[in-house]
Amino acid sequence: PELDWTAVKISRNRHGGDSRLPFLIDEETDAAATGDASRYLRAGARRSYWLRAADARLEEALPFVEEIRASGCNLIVESNRLLDYLTPNLYLGVLDLSVPDFKNSTRRNLGQADRFAVVDRAGARSDWPGIALPDAARTPRLPISPAGFWGAELHAWLESRIASANGLEAALQRPEPPKQYTFAPARR
């Protein structure tokens, strides 16, 4: 909460709504609800949005994402597809070796990951034909629990990375607002 996070979950499926609209956006305000946007509120996000847009229409929603980013908050986005348009300060790829499918958006952006959070399931191994993960020396893997998709190594790395990117070592000791993340258009 002290970092003033706003979360955006981006989904390709419309899950109802007016199909004539290019995209749908809802702000989640109920932390007790069961959706991903509610999970962000429970984790400490100040605000949380659910953006639904087909691949061909996602670019039309970018001004909304930029408006949130420009509001001065720190922004966390759950989406691989957004990487086709923006370059984040930090990209954490999440891999579950027990899941047989592999999203095309993940495949396209594997090389951009700063780290991979790998779900630690006993006996699970990747068997993704045609998928070559970047070398672990270049893109380290951090184990996470399937129970909460979290782990001590991931926590320590994120805390360190966010603090150094935002100059938060001092800000966490003073009541000053953190600096915001900046996004630049990605090369297409």
Side-chain angles (χ1 to χ4, degrees):
E2 68 273 2
L3 298 180
D4 189 25
W5 287 102
T6 295
V8 178
K9 161 73 175 176
I10 299 179
S11 175
R12 148 180 311 112
N13 300 322
R14 295 187 64 84
H15 304 286
D18 188 341
S19 62
R20 296 171 294 177
L21 298 174
F23 56 89
L24 300 170
I25 300 169
D26 290 311
E27 181 172 4
E28 179 60 73
T29 57
D30 182 3
T34 59
D36 289 340
S38 297
R39 181 173 38 95
Y40 287 121
L41 292 173
R42 287 191 301 277
R46 186 160 303 188
R47 299 181 85 178
S48 183
Y49 296 91
W50 183 25
L51 167 64
R52 282 101 62 213
D55 287 340
R57 306 303 294 264
L58 181 58
E59 190 168 9
E60 295 174 62
L62 294 181
F64 169 77
V65 176
E66 176 56 28
E67 182 180 316
I68 294 172
R69 191 213 53 84
S71 73
C73 66
N74 286 296
L75 180 63
I76 183 170
V77 179
E78 182 180 334
S79 172
N80 291 309
R81 296 186 304 143
L82 197 61
L83 295 170
D84 294 336
Y85 303 98
L86 302 174
T87 302
N89 287 28
L90 182 142
Y91 170 40
L92 176 68
V94 179
L95 302 174
D96 188 339
L97 304 180
S98 70
V99 176
D101 70 334
F102 207 92
K103 293 180 179 178
N104 286 332
S105 58
T106 303
R107 181 188 313 245
R108 283 193 311 272
N109 295 298
L110 281 172
Q112 293 187 53
D114 294 289
R115 294 286 190 278
F116 289 111
V118 180
V119 180
D120 189 9
R121 297 187 197 270
R125 61 182 204 82
S126 65
D127 189 20
W128 297 311
I131 303 293
L133 295 177
D135 181 59
R138 189 187 78 70
T139 310
R141 281 96 166 120
L142 304 170
I144 59 175
S145 163
F149 291 96
W150 197 247
E153 289 178 64
L154 174 61
H155 181 90
W157 178 75
L158 284 172
E159 190 173 70
S160 169
R161 182 71 188 263
I162 291 168
S164 65
N166 267 352
L168 290 179
E169 295 93 344
L172 289 174
Q173 298 168 7
R174 300 191 312 266
E176 296 178 19
K179 297 176 185 173
Q180 65 186 10
Y181 278 87
T182 57
F183 287 79
R187 292 183 201 100
R188 293 176 72 182

